[in-house]
């Protein structure tokens, strides 16, 4: 029984350590009233879509490390200033520069024909001609015997599922991120894959791949879905030889910038509600849904809060991260730089899942802050947003912050059509609905304003000092 | 009154010259019964779609004059033979060979970015850098003063209308076919246009252009719709410089083949009901809707007639024309070669408007054959096809035959989505519905069989001998 007694004492001590209900985080009534007005103003405002139009038109594609990357940084600084942010600054982000110069693929022999492909980010250049070996998914590739792909081009033909919440991407992701490395480790000299995407059109989806330590990098590319279908049909007829020619690769180092704008808090200026997006895009489209929409949504949300009669209690920090696409590089370097201040990042949300309407909201804030989370959810409900505790997660650029102890909120967008456009040439302005952007802006503005006004915190604390 | 009397006499003479109702063309009852069975058999048959799959997969894109053109000819000969046609032969078709090697366009300066373009067929190669001058349509370009485009790139930004019957193409066509020549005549050194197409995706539509006698050919290309939108937005911000680089052009002469298969008639073997399609395609897609579908539909229709217990009274002649895309070249050379036999081509219909369901039927047959046309229409009605006298026209490859005096029929397909795919990279097999192909095969089979069994003709006669 002694051990039971000691357990009981330990449990009592733990319960005493939890905040009492009197110290629960709460949002004052006057803030909720003001948020209602803010929401309606945001729905009628066009700033968000105008920013998407401006970034996609004037800068266009903005691959990290390209000439357009530097133009995008200048664009973001100028927009923050124009939009009335109190402070605007940049923080350097350094990374290896990857370039795409040309790319092509062609079936050889009796059924000779071109294939629509695009090199994966991180692929080396090179020209290979070899027989195709098809795998239905990543697990099948992993199961291939050592040495079985010597001199071949591996082709992983996995079909990504279309889902509202983007969960199809989780299953398909490794085909792109790790497939080429696995294929090379088994002797392959080239890699082709059915795009991680859902578009039936003739556009291929790029995205980053990485080769494991000690594995020789091999030319790696994704095919459009119709081309993957075609290659599959040709393989049913017999062996297929393909020529894959990529002039791409890493070329030196580049320093870009995280661009940050702040609406400075009136009472707690050193505590920040963070709204995040990323400024870079892949090079095939103009990055309208990935992530000019996030840029427009979050910059407009902060701007609208800045237009209110008084500054919020806490600061609103809007961060346009550099080089998300090649490995959350701006976000990782931000967290390294701000390691001592994790607890000051009270709560953070990123818009980086396209331009669809927001349908769900949640946060990983601790129990003592969940009443406030419910208050935010109630203020979002008129936008058609449901409180979905336990669903969602941090946006990609907030993963490093969350790992360091920062609390996140999720404003979940409908991603049913996101992967029709994601990382391919079709990611252009015409796919963005101005009304949907306004709904997003309203949601981010309400979320940021209410959490900035909350009495009590949301649990952010540097991991070393965190209670759990 | 004398003149009135003479007119009355003349009218009487004319009326006497018209066929009496007793000599009207009619289709026998037993043929109508057999056609009903043929229709149901065709609806359950998969030959048409299998042919579309085979041609688009095994040959792929088959630009006239390319290596794939020759493979397509061999493919068609083999398919006709396999499908039980009684006679299969080829007739040579010679034309200048046009090639596409590479193409790119780029906005220069402060908003530098690539544009998705494709060279127009018939364009010369060349690289030009110049300021853009925008025109809203072809008429505006035509109205530009002489010399006003010296050293510029003309940009015609006309938006094609989406229609069921394809009539939007008639209005948009000259932007492509004549725009570059008009622009050059006013001094332009390059030409860009919003694609003649309705796809919101990042695919540009090619197609033939022609330069008038004495006008200097200039590099000419079409942009995808999102890119035309983008260029329009950039022009709203100020002058835009573009670099257009085309490595394309004519390169010698090539001889392809019209490929012809015949189900030989039992009573009137030297009278032909013609079913037409074209074997060539543009090079960007695999020519699934333009015109592998027509190939599959008409070859399957003839095959199904050939599977009947008896050969039809007249011959069924299925013609896979060479090089339709660059100016109905195979069709024109066919009519030159068969000038003496126009009257033997009793009636002709072409499938060259995609893979949509057929919704309408008509024929320009003379009045004495319209009762038979109505009988065909009644046999087509169970397929959801309406008799629409006065609508439609000959398929493109039948224009030369019609001009020479041949009678045509129109089996009008729903073209609402045709120009999403027409002449662009998205024209691939996945856009073709097997059930819609079967409906088309049934319609062509019924039409061909019934007109082959008709008692009396449909008015075809070489123009010199035609009564009207």
């Amino acid at each position: 029984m002694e051990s039971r007694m000691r357990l009981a004492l330990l449990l009592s001590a733990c319960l005493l350590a939890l905040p009492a209900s009197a110290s629960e985080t709460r949002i004052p009534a006057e803030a909720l009233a003001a948020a209602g007005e803010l929401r309606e103003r945001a729905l009628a405002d066009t700033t968000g879509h105008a920013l998407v139009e401006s970034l996609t038109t004037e800068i266009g594609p903005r691959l990290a490390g390209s000439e357009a990357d530097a133009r995008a940084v200048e664009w973001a600084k100028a927009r923050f200033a124009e939009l009335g942010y109190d402070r605007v600054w940049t923080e350097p982000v350094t990374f290896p520069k990857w370039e795409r110069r040309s790319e092509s693929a062609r079936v050889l022999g009796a059924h000779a024909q071109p294939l629509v492909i695009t090199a994966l980010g991180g692929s080396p250049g090179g020209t290979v001609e070899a027989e195709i070996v098809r795998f239905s998914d990543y697990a099948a590739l992993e199961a291939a015997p050592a040495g079985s792909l010597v001199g071949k081009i591996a082709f992983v033909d996995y079909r990504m599922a279309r889902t509202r919440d983007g969960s199809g991407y989780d299953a398909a992701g490794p085909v792109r991120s790790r497939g080429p490395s696995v294929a090379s480790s088994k002797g392959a000299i080239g890699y082709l894959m059915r795009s991680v995407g859902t578009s039936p059109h003739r556009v291929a989806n790029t995205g980053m791949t990485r080769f494991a330590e000690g594995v020789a990098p091999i030319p790696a590319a994704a095919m459009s879905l119709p081309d993957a279908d075609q290659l599959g049909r040709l393989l049913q007829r017999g062996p297929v030889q393909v020529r894959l020619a990529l002039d791409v690769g890493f070329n030196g180092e580049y320093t870009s910038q995280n661009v940050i704008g702040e609406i400075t808090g009136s009472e707690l200026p050193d505590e920040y509600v963070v709204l995040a997006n990323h400024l870079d895009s892949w090079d095939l489209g103009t990055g309208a849904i990935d992530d000019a929409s996030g840029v427009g949504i979050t910059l407009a949300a902060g701007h609208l809060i800045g237009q209110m009669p008084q500054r919020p209690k806490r600061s609103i920090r809007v961060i346009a991260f550099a080089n998300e696409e090649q490995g959350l590089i701006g976000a990782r370097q931000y967290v390294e730089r701000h390691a001592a201040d994790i607890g000051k990042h009270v709560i953070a949300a990123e818009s980086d899942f396209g331009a669809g309407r927001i349908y769900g909201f949640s946060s990983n804030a601790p129990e003592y802050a969940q009443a406030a989370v419910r208050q935010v959810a109630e203020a979002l409900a008129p936008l058609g947003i449901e409180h979905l505790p336990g669903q969602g997660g941090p946006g990609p650029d907030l993963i490093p912050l969350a790992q360091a102890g920062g609390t996140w909120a999720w404003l979940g967008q409908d991603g049913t059509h996101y992967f029709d456009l994601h990382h391919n040439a079709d990611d252009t302005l015409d796919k963005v609905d101005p009304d949907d952007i306004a709904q997003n802006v309203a949601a981010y503005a309400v979320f940021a304003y209410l959490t900035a006004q909350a009495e009590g915190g949301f649990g952010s604390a540097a991991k070393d000092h965190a209670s759990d």
Side-chain angles (χ1 to χ4, degrees), chain A residues 122-125 180-181 184-185 188-190 209-220 250:
Chain A
S123 171
S181 184
S184 176
S185 74
I189 60 170
T209 197
R210 262 170 211 84
F211 292 89
E213 205 55 39
V215 172
I218 55 174
F250 287 107

Side-chain angles (χ1 to χ4, degrees), chain A residues 345-426:
Chain A
H345 297 71
V346 173
I347 192 166
E350 178 170 39
S351 175
D352 182 23
F353 196 55
R357 293 182 84 79
I358 297 172
Y359 68 90
F361 172 67
S362 71
S363 170
N364 73 332
E367 195 49 42
Y368 68 82
Q370 285 294 332
V373 169
R374 282 190 294 277
Q375 287 180 294
V376 175
E378 280 161 29
L380 294 175
L383 297 170
I385 298 170
E386 203 180 345
H387 188 201
L388 298 170
Q391 292 192 31
D397 285 303
L398 299 180
I399 292 171
L401 184 69
Q403 286 170 339
T407 298
W408 51 262
W410 170 70
L411 290 104
Q413 290 173 288
D414 187 327
T416 307
H417 298 288
Y418 184 62
F419 292 99
D420 292 348
L421 312 172
H422 178 251
H423 295 189
N424 72 37
D426 251 345

